[in-house]
Amino acid sequence: MSLTDIRNRIAAAETRFGRTEGSTSLIAVSKVQPNDRVESVLKEGHRIFGENRVQEAAGKWPEFRNTYDGIELHLLGPLQTNKTRQAMELFDYFHTLDRLKLAKRIAVMRDELGRCPKLFIQVNTGNEAQKAGILPEETDSFLRECRTLDLPVIGLMCIPPVDEEPSEHFALLSGLAKRNGLAELSMGMSSDFECAIEQGATFVRVGSAIFGERVAPKA
């Protein structure tokens, strides 16, 4: 499916669900994608991309940024505390703030670097033991701690359980955001982004539907 197809589907969903035109940003998830595929999307004019791993992004995006202006880079995968500085130098947004230790580390690095990415708190809406994220009932208190640290938290992010109806999780996340005065919602992927738009997503994360199936790195 082409980038244009995805953009058209996003626009159609915004119209269908009474959303403001252009209120949903498309993050092209370029993790584990060959550089030629990524560059083809850059050549089409797209500038918002998502990566899961700091190391992979560091080997890819500095060179692209030397060639293409206006790139906006989103960290979508878990962040190890010891990689915070490198990630903050590279990314414009973090979508996976999920623990107080990381929040405190980001605050320290912000003071050292004089800048900070915009932040999403990852919420484990399905209360899944194997998945990272703040539990829904702990989101309010965690956000208060982040605000005490003066962190630029702009929204919430979730990844629904694969075997459950995603709309219920998107609605839960939307309610948590509204209750806390957060305007941004990072939710929805290739299989369910239209459902996420219905529930108020402002960022959707689409990878394989744009780039094709991921290419596993060589051993």
Side-chain angles (χ1 to χ4, degrees):
M1 190 173 296
S2 72
L3 177 64
T4 299
D5 290 334
I6 298 297
R7 287 172 170 168
N8 288 341
R9 286 175 59 186
I10 289 172
E14 288 175 339
T15 299
R16 187 162 68 250
F17 300 123
R19 296 285 305 280
T20 302
E21 182 181 353
S23 60
T24 312
S25 295
L26 170 61
I27 302 173
V29 182
S30 49
K31 64 176 182 179
V32 200
Q33 293 288 352
N35 283 3
D36 60 336
R37 292 187 187 177
V38 177
E39 188 157 27
S40 69
V41 175
L42 281 162
K43 287 179 177 177
E44 288 188 66
H46 195 74
R47 291 294 182 269
I48 306 174
F49 291 84
E51 293 282 345
N52 270 35
R53 297 175 64 246
V54 176
Q55 184 175 352
E56 181 184 349
K60 178 188 300 180
W61 286 101
E63 185 174 346
F64 280 142
R65 277 179 158 154
N66 287 336
T67 306
Y68 298 93
D69 293 332
I71 290 172
E72 182 179 289
L73 202 55
H74 295 245
L75 179 62
L76 306 177
L79 177 60
Q80 297 174 337
T81 308
N82 63 358
K83 292 188 180 295
T84 304
R85 174 188 286 274
Q86 184 181 16
M88 290 180 68
E89 292 174 337
L90 185 61
F91 289 92
D92 304 293
Y93 292 77
F94 291 171
H95 289 241
T96 54
L97 176 56
D98 62 354
R99 59 198 187 280
L100 185 57
K101 180 181 179 181
L102 178 59
K104 290 179 176 178
R105 180 64 175 168
I106 290 172
V108 169
M109 288 295 97
R110 173 206 57 207
D111 294 342
E112 288 188 16
L113 297 171
R115 65 177 299 273
C116 187
K118 296 177 181 179
L119 304 172
F120 288 83
I121 292 172
Q122 181 173 357
V123 181
N124 186 349
T125 57
N127 197 10
E128 297 174 275
Q130 79 282 7
K131 189 175 290 182
I134 302 297
L135 296 177
E137 61 269 24
E138 297 173 358
T139 300
D140 294 3
S141 60
F142 181 67
L143 178 59
R144 284 195 296 271
E145 291 179 295
C146 291
R147 285 172 168 166
T148 298
L149 294 168
D150 200 26
L151 293 178
V153 176
I154 63 169
L156 305 178
M157 182 274 260
C158 76
I159 304 171
V162 295
D163 57 350
E164 295 186 19
E165 171 56 49
S167 62
E168 297 176 6
H169 294 270
F170 297 154
L172 172 60
L173 198 72
S174 179
L176 287 171
K178 288 177 181 176
R179 188 167 75 206
N180 286 284
L182 295 171
E184 308 295 338
L185 289 168
S186 170
M187 58 190 195
M189 297 184 285
S190 292
S191 62
D192 56 20
F193 67 85
E194 286 147 319
C195 174
I197 291 170
E198 181 181 11
Q199 296 296 335
T202 57
F203 288 87
V204 295
R205 312 179 301 267
V206 180
S208 57
I210 294 174
F211 296 101
E213 292 303 314
R214 297 188 187 101
V215 178
K218 295 179 180 179

